[in-house]
Every structure is written in C-alpha cells, then in structure tokens.
C-alpha cells in the first residue's frame, strides 16, 4: 500500500496530528521527508516532500504565513508539519485555516519527537513500499507470461485491462485491431471506445493524456517485431500511470511482440527456402516431398496461383507480403518477379472464384493500404506440379482496364482479352494492328480524317447505319458515306467477314496494349 500523508499521521510513534485537509491527506502520497527552515524553503524541495519546520523563518502575520504555505504547495510539497517544540507550542490558526481552504494538509509534530524519527520512518516505509511494488510487478509479469502461454493474446489483454482498469487494444501494422478489451464499468459504446482510443499508423512511443478521460493517461507502445513493426499496444485509463504501471505495460508490449513475431534469422531462412521452392517449380523442377512438407504442401496438392502487381519486388515489400499471407492462415509459396513489377504467389486450395473469394479480397484490402495501385490476377486451380500454367494464367488475368476492377480470375476474362493477354509477350499485337488498321490510321494522319472511328462505329453497330450514326453524332447518310470511304481506302467491302474480324481484333489489341 502506498504511503500517504494520512497513513503516516496514524503512526503512534511519530507524534503527528493532522489539523487540516484530512480528505486530501488520505490520497496524497509521500515521496520523501525533509526538515528545513528557510524563507525560500519552496526552492529547495522536490515534489512529494513531507516538509517539517520549526517555524522560525515564517512571517509573523497571518497573510504572510498563508503565502508561505501557498509557496510550498506550488512547489509540490505533499504537506507541512510544524514542530511544536520550536517557535510555536501550537500551530498558528492562519496555517490551519489556509490549509483547509486550499486542501493542503497541515500537521503538528509533538515537541518530544525528533524530526529525524519522521525522516527515518518515511524512508523505511518508502523502501518497503517499493519492495512490495517490485514484488507485485514481478508477480503480475509472471501472470501475463503464463496467460500468454496457456490462453493466448486475448487473455493477456483482458488481464492488463483488469489490472489497470483500462481500455486495451492490440493492433497490427496496418491499424487493424487484433484484440480489444474494455473495463466492465465503461459506460460508452464499446466500438466507439476502440475507434477513439486507437491511433492511426505508423506508430511511435507515446505517453500522454487519455483520449477518453479528463484525468487519465494513454500509453502507445509499438510492438517491435524482429524484422518489421508489428503494430502497437494501446492502453487508456481514467487514472495516471505510475512507474509500476508503465513498467507492466512495457513488459506486456515486449511479450506480445515476441508472440507475434519470430527471429530474423529463422524468418529469413524460411522465406529464402519458400522463394527457392517456387523458383524451382517455375523452372520445371518440382522440389522433393520433404522440402515441400516444410510449407505444408505435397507435389499433388491442389493449388491456385495469384499474380500481384503494382508492388515493388523489394525486400521490405516481400516481408510485408509474407506477413499478410501468414496472417490469412494460408499454406503458400511466393517469389518476386522484378521484371513484371510484382510477385507470383501459390496458395494451397481452390481460390479461382476470384474477387468473390474472401481471402483474396482480404489480401487485396491489406496490400492496397500501402500500395493503392495494386492489382491481382488469379489463375486456375491445378496440382502443384502444373503451377507454371496457373502462374501464366494469373499474369494474363491481372486487370489492365480500371473498369474491370482490381482483382480478376482467368475464368472471368472475356475471350478476346484472354487471347490478347496470351500473346502479349510476342509481336502478335503489332501484327494485328499492322494491316487494315494501320492503313486507315495513316490515311487519317495524312488527310485529317477520322476513318478509324468510323470503321469502329460500323463494326460495333454490326453493320447498321442508324446506330453507327448515333455513335458518331452524324446523319445516317453521312455515316453511310463514311463507311463507303473506308471501303475505298482499304479496297475491300466492310461486309467481308475476314476484314471485319481483322479490324475487330485490331481495335481490341490497340486498347489492350494502351
């Protein structure tokens, strides 16, 4: 129990009589005791000092005595005790009245009691209190470790919330709350509390005023994982945290960090093996079963490939991606693809439902917070030995048109996109736009016409002049004349199915390439 002015005054061996501000004395802690008789005593004491005086340097008048008490109060003294064996046999009424008025404890010390007895008693009590405090802290730390091992992170947060009567939140490095606990006595809506208490990432160490209570504290402790920051532990309470409270919070942050991360050496070794395994598979060499078993996979495991682009293939992003994949509980392999500005990922299971698959959607939402231009293509589900095909499908499926959304599966692609995507790495796109399409484009450039637009409108309208005219915003007869002009330039009729197929694919190829 903490030493207070009131508890000190109740010791019969010290001869202390509490004369003013009894209620304040019950809750005012004593940090030290010091006997001093100076006019400027307030300049020589530390906050929390139990000041003892014989009164010889106090002014004679009541107003001056009140001012002396006020100076001590402002300097942080916890109380003033007047030795009745000194200047006064009884404590002046002005000191008592002013102490009562401002809530500052004033005491009398019996004349026969040496002031050193009080100093010694305070020192002994403070030492004993600190020993008890340290013992209690060690016990509380041991309890947290036991709870973490037996019941997990939620139990640690619950214990911390109960011990400090505080709101406790554990977040990940993207600000997603992993654990939330609030005291049962809290009268605000729980979700509102957690929204208000949790700061936005990135996190830095903070100790400041509570965001919920006018006379409380909030501590934000970043969770320092072995290789990247893992989020933060946030504790917000209605009271100010003492040294023991802060040490307990720091200890909780340390063990939570350890529970949510692994050592750098182990992590890097595992990730190298994971990436090497996928690189071997893509090169046509399936790793042996024992190596694949490290990642919960077998050669015949049904897998789905994802291709994530819009993310730099660098070490930090590789680590973040690995964290998110681990967080989704997937069995996976992945490897950076620097030339394609992204990552190939192979996930155990059938994820070919595309954006409708909750795991893929969750991965995208997490990645886009750091990389807003991220897009994901999804290949077909097939055995691990056939994964190169699924990876190629995933690369083709990556949406290039924003209207297609950020996530697309190979099975959701239109036929022309599938064809054009499959030949995107060859010169076939150039060949498709090198015949009739190129002839019309060059004619338009020489003559300032727009026959390419006319040809496209004709094909989109399936050879009907009325919808063609509406698309171009011209009269029907003008649209017909434009179509005839296209035929003159090309030397072919637009009714020719081969010409129309060639132009249709060329228009699609031009859009795909752009």
């Amino acid at each position: 129990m903490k030493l207070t002015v009131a508890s000190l005054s109740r010791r019969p061996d010290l001869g202390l009589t509490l004369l003013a501000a009894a209620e304040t004395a019950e809750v005012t802690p004593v940090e030290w005791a010091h006997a001093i008789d100076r006019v400027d005593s307030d300049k020589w004491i530390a906050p929390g000092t139990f000041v003892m005086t014989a009164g010889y340097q106090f002014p004679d008048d009541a107003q001056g005595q009140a001012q002396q008490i006020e100076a001590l109060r402002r300097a942080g003294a916890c109380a003033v005790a007047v030795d009745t064996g000194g200047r006064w046999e009884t404590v002046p009424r002005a000191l008592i009245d002013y102490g009562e008025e401002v809530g500052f404890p004033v005491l009398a010390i019996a004349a026969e009691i040496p002031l050193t007895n009080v100093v010694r008693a305070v020192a002994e009590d403070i030492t004993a209190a600190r020993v008890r405090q340290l013992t209690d802290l060690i016990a509380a730390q041991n309890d947290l470790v036991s709870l973490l091992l037996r019941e997990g992170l939620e139990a640690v947060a619950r214990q911390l919330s109960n011990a400090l009567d505080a709101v406790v939140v554990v977040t990940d490095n993207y600000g997603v709350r992993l654990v939330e606990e609030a005291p049962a006595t809290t009268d605000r809506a729980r979700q509102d509390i957690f929204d208000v208490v949790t700061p936005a990432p990135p996190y830095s160490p903070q100790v400041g005023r509570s965001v919920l209570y006018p006379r409380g504290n909030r501590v934000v402790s970043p969770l320092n994982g072995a290789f990247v920051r893992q989020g933060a532990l946030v504790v917000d309470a209605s009271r100010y945290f003492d040294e023991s409270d802060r040490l307990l919070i720091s200890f909780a942050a340390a063990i939570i960090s350890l529970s949510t991360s692994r050592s750098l050496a182990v992590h890097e070794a595992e990730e190298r093996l994971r990436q090497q395994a996928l690189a071997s598979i893509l090169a046509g060499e399936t790793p042996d079963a024992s190596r694949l078993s490290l990642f919960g996979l077998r050669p015949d495991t049904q897998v789905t490939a994802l291709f994530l682009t819009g993310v730099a293939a660098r070490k930090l992003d590789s680590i973040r991606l690995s964290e998110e994949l681990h967080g989704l509980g997937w069995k996976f392999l992945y490897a950076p693809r620097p030339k394609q500005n992204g990552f190939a990922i192979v996930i155990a299971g059938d994820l070919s439902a595309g954006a409708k698959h909750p795991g893929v959607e969750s991965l995208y939402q997490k990645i886009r917070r750091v990389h807003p231009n991220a897009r994901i293509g999804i290949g077909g589900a097939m055995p691990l030995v056939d994964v190169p095909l699924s990876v190629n499908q995933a690369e083709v499926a990556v949406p290039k048109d924003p209207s297609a959304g950020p996530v697309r599966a190979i099975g959701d692609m239109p036929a022309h996109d599938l064809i054009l995507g499959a030949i995107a790495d060859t010169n076939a796109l150039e060949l498709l736009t090198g015949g009739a399409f190129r002839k019309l484009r060059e004619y338009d450039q020489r003559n300032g016409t727009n026959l390419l637009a006319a040809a496209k409108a004709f094909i989109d309208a399936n050879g009907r002049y009325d919808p063609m005219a509406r698309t171009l915003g011209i009269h029907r007869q003008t649209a017909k004349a434009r179509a005839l002009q296209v035929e003159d330039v090309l030397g072919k009729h637009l009714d020719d199915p081969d010409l129309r197929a060639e132009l249709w694919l060329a228009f699609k190829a031009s859009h795909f390439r752009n």
Side-chain angles (χ1 to χ4, degrees), residues 8-244:
L8 188 66
S9 71
R10 285 193 281 268
R11 285 191 49 167
D13 57 318
L14 298 182
L16 295 171
T17 303
L18 183 59
L19 304 174
E23 290 185 5
T24 304
E26 292 289 348
V27 295
T28 303
V30 178
E31 303 294 343
W32 194 245
H34 185 49
I36 185 170
D37 261 309
R38 293 177 59 109
V39 175
D40 57 351
S41 297
D42 56 296
K43 296 179 180 178
W44 300 92
I45 63 168
T49 300
F50 185 84
V51 175
M52 295 175 289
T53 177
Y56 290 113
Q57 300 300 327
F58 269 68
D60 295 328
D61 61 295
Q63 182 178 356
Q65 292 171 3
Q67 289 174 349
Q68 190 84 346
I69 292 291
E70 178 62 18
L72 291 171
R73 187 178 74 87
R74 288 183 178 276
C78 64
V80 63
V82 179
D83 178 10
T84 55
R87 178 179 177 183
W88 301 300
E89 292 184 1
T90 59
V91 179
R93 190 74 238 173
L95 299 184
I96 299 171
D97 290 345
Y98 190 76
E100 193 67 43
E101 178 184 341
V102 299
F104 182 73
V106 176
L107 301 92
I109 305 176
E112 67 276 10
I113 300 295
L115 301 188
T116 54
N117 286 13
V118 179
V119 174
R120 186 182 302 111
V122 169
E124 290 172 351
D125 279 3
I126 288 174
T127 300
R130 287 180 176 171
V131 169
R132 288 194 301 272
Q133 187 181 47
L134 181 59
T135 303
D136 291 345
L137 176 61
I138 292 172
Q141 291 175 341
N142 289 337
D143 287 346
L144 289 181
V145 172
S146 297
L147 282 170
L148 182 64
L149 295 175
R150 291 197 318 267
E151 302 177 39
L153 188 58
E154 293 80 3
V156 171
R158 186 164 55 249
Q159 177 75 358
L160 199 60
S161 176
N162 292 337
L164 301 175
D165 194 28
V167 175
V168 175
V169 175
V170 178
T171 75
D172 70 8
N173 52 334
Y174 293 111
V176 176
R177 293 191 293 271
L178 306 176
V179 177
E180 304 167 335
E181 287 291 340
T185 55
T186 304
D187 56 2
R188 297 177 62 171
R190 290 178 65 86
Q191 197 57 44
D192 178 52
I193 287 173
F194 300 131
D195 289 342
V196 170
V197 164
T198 310
Y203 304 109
S204 58
Q206 298 175 28
V207 179
R209 290 185 178 276
S210 164
V211 295
L212 294 174
Y213 310 101
R215 296 183 179 179
N217 263 170
R218 183 182 73 165
V219 173
V220 179
S221 294
L223 303 178
N224 297 316
F227 41 92
V228 290
R229 297 234 170 195
Q230 299 293 310
L233 168 65
V234 185
V235 182
D236 194 303
S238 57
R239 62 179 174 82
Y240 289 110
F241 295 132
D242 60 21
E243 182 182 10
S244 179

Side-chain angles (χ1 to χ4, degrees), residues 419-435 502 505-506 508-510 512-513:
I419 294 169
L420 295 171
I423 62 175
D425 291 335
T426 72
N427 63 354
L429 295 181
E430 291 295 329
L431 294 175
L432 284 172
T433 57
E502 177 188 343
L505 274 174
K508 293 295 183 183
S510 176
F512 184 89
R513 184 172 54 190

Side-chain angles (χ1 to χ4, degrees), residues 258-272:
L258 290 173
S259 74
T260 56
S261 67
R262 293 163 294 171
S263 73
L264 178 59
V266 171
H267 175 79
E268 288 188 338
E270 181 181 307
E271 296 314 292
R272 279 197 301 272

Side-chain angles (χ1 to χ4, degrees), residues 219-467:
V219 173
V220 179
S221 294
L223 303 178
N224 297 316
F227 41 92
V228 290
R229 297 234 170 195
Q230 299 293 310
L233 168 65
V234 185
V235 182
D236 194 303
S238 57
R239 62 179 174 82
Y240 289 110
F241 295 132
D242 60 21
E243 182 182 10
S244 179
D245 295 333
R246 290 193 294 271
L247 286 172
L248 183 62
I249 293 169
S250 296
F251 181 81
I255 63 171
I256 291 171
S257 293
L258 290 173
S259 74
T260 56
S261 67
R262 293 163 294 171
S263 73
L264 178 59
V266 171
H267 175 79
E268 288 188 338
E270 181 181 307
E271 296 314 292
R272 279 197 301 272
L273 290 172
R274 197 183 297 275
Q275 294 183 25
Q276 289 168 4
L278 182 54
S280 297
I281 294 170
L282 294 178
E285 301 174 5
T286 304
D288 58 56
S290 61
R291 186 175 167 192
L292 289 174
S293 67
L294 294 173
F295 314 111
L297 301 171
R298 301 188 310 274
D300 61 346
T301 299
Q302 191 85 346
V303 297
T304 306
L306 310 181
F307 191 79
L308 171 65
T309 189
V311 178
R314 56 185 183 177
K315 183 176 181 180
L316 181 58
D317 289 318
S318 176
I319 291 170
R320 284 177 175 152
L321 176 60
S322 173
E323 283 186 330
E324 300 304 349
L325 294 170
H326 277 292
L328 289 166
W330 282 338
K331 298 173 183 176
F332 68 95
L333 303 174
Y334 76 108
R337 308 277 274 188
K339 290 184 179 179
Q340 293 88 346
N341 189 34
F343 291 85
I345 309 164
V346 174
I347 311 294
D350 185 353
L351 278 67
S352 57
K356 297 177 182 178
H357 192 287
V360 178
E361 175 62 20
S362 177
L363 176 63
Y364 169 71
Q365 293 299 335
K366 289 176 179 294
I367 295 297
R368 70 184 290 269
R369 295 177 185 175
V370 179
H371 301 284
N373 296 321
R375 288 161 292 148
I376 298 177
I378 306 172
M382 56 193 67
L384 184 64
V385 293
D386 296 325
V387 88
L389 173 58
S390 187
V391 170
N392 288 339
Q393 290 177 339
E395 289 188 43
V396 169
V398 172
K400 295 175 175 59
D401 185 346
S403 64
V407 180
R408 183 171 62 178
I410 190 74
D412 296 333
M413 292 182 67
H416 62 270
D417 272 1
L418 182 57
I419 294 169
L420 295 171
I423 62 175
D425 291 335
T426 72
N427 63 354
L429 295 181
E430 291 295 329
L431 294 175
L432 284 172
T433 57
F437 181 92
R438 181 177 181 181
K439 187 178 288 188
L440 289 174
R441 182 179 61 196
E442 291 177 347
Y443 183 90
D444 285 340
Q445 291 171 348
R446 290 195 306 270
N447 299 282
T449 55
N450 198 3
L451 295 185
L452 267 178
K456 185 176 187 306
F458 180 88
I459 292 170
D460 289 345
N462 200 25
R464 292 175 296 162
Y465 293 120
D466 287 333

